[in-house]
Amino acid sequence: MHVAYFTNQYPKVSHSFIRREILALEQLGHSVERFALRSDAAELVDPADQLEFGKTAYILSDSKLRLVLQSLTVFIVHPIKFITTLFFAIKLGFRSDRGVLRHIAYFVESCTLLKWQLQTGIEHIHAHFGTNSTTVVMFSYLLGGVGYSFTVHGPEEFDKPEFISLAEKIKYCRFVVAISSYGRSQLFRWIPLEQWHKVKVVHCGLDDAFLADIATDPNVSNQLVCVGRLCEQKGQLLLLKSMRSLRDAGINCKLVLAGDGPMRAEVERRISEYELSDRVEITGWISSEQVKMLLVESRGLVLPSFAEGLPVVIMEALALYRPVITTYVAGIPELVKNKHNGWLIPAGDSDALTVAMKLLLDADGQTLSMMGLNGHKAVNEQHNIRIEAEKLATHIERGIN
């Protein structure tokens, strides 16, 4: 089976799950082309991502003139499809928060993607995220390209389904993937019952780099780690409030914020304002191996997200026998069970977060060990990338046939 993947940006520091999925499909014997709009080589710190960068073709690496000329070529070869798809793009643009001009740009990009599909002879193309990457793939299909599928992660797709024309994308696709049962339910909301059969659940997964690790003694240090982009939805500002409460209560602990993002300056200001500089560290972007090392060196993961899909870092922490504190949001409760492999709290509740952090810090070695074993077992059963890639490959093969 010869397929392609298309994303807005690949590889990307926070998208290691896409890389794992592609490599798992290749290990199953399938041939996978990598297409993307862009990438930022300067931010890639993981050797595996740097290797993927060299395997990926980028639409925006072409000059604007070449992109326009390719569009003219499509017009000459497929004039009717060109005109009808262009008008469809304009129609979607009027409904979108991104505007008409941006959708015309997606249309132009889809013409180059169509050329690559024909040149490589792929049978199917899969996109990740139901936003602009799937828009480009849908337009290329309407221009005469191969059938497509896409994975919806959330929360962005569920925040504005009408603006991103989610229903139209599902209408034309071979199938659509949700990463959790919760995600499946949200897709059901926006399509007719007759299309529900198109929605498949395929989890993001981990490979043997995490799942093959044998149980080790629990970490009883006072270090906690939060891994994620520094942005509003991850809840780091709430976490800092809880760190201040723990300090005021005389509880000694350290917090490592692993990641970077648009809110870094605000996070740093709050750390200074709360006088937490001796207790909170920001690492910036780090490699997957460094994330793994931090998880092993910490007592547990804390991720007080306000909105999510199902964070891969939760799977990574549980696979490494580390309990997790997180929120009753989206697909998270499908993996994290309260007081079984971690603690679940209401999103936005600083007091509940503080209590959960204290419980983690007070937990004895036997409790931490039990939670670690439970977490590893749950991830191995639900998020093994080999098993999930086999599911995805089956759906693609059925779509092709």
Side-chain angles (χ1 to χ4, degrees), residues 5-10 18 35-38 126-129 133:
Y5 266 60
F6 183 77
T7 58
N8 179 44
Q9 186 173 341
Y10 181 81
I18 301 177
F35 302 146
L37 283 175
R38 64 176 68 82
H126 186 76
H128 266 272
F129 305 102
S133 56

Side-chain angles (χ1 to χ4, degrees), residues 3-36:
V3 302
Y5 266 60
F6 183 77
T7 58
N8 179 44
Q9 186 173 341
Y10 181 81
K12 190 175 181 180
V13 173
S14 57
H15 293 169
S16 58
F17 54 89
I18 301 177
R19 183 187 72 230
R20 291 189 188 114
E21 191 172 272
I22 290 173
L23 296 179
L25 285 172
E26 290 183 327
Q27 289 169 4
L28 291 171
H30 306 297
S31 176
V32 184
E33 307 286 344
R34 286 90 156 149
F35 302 146

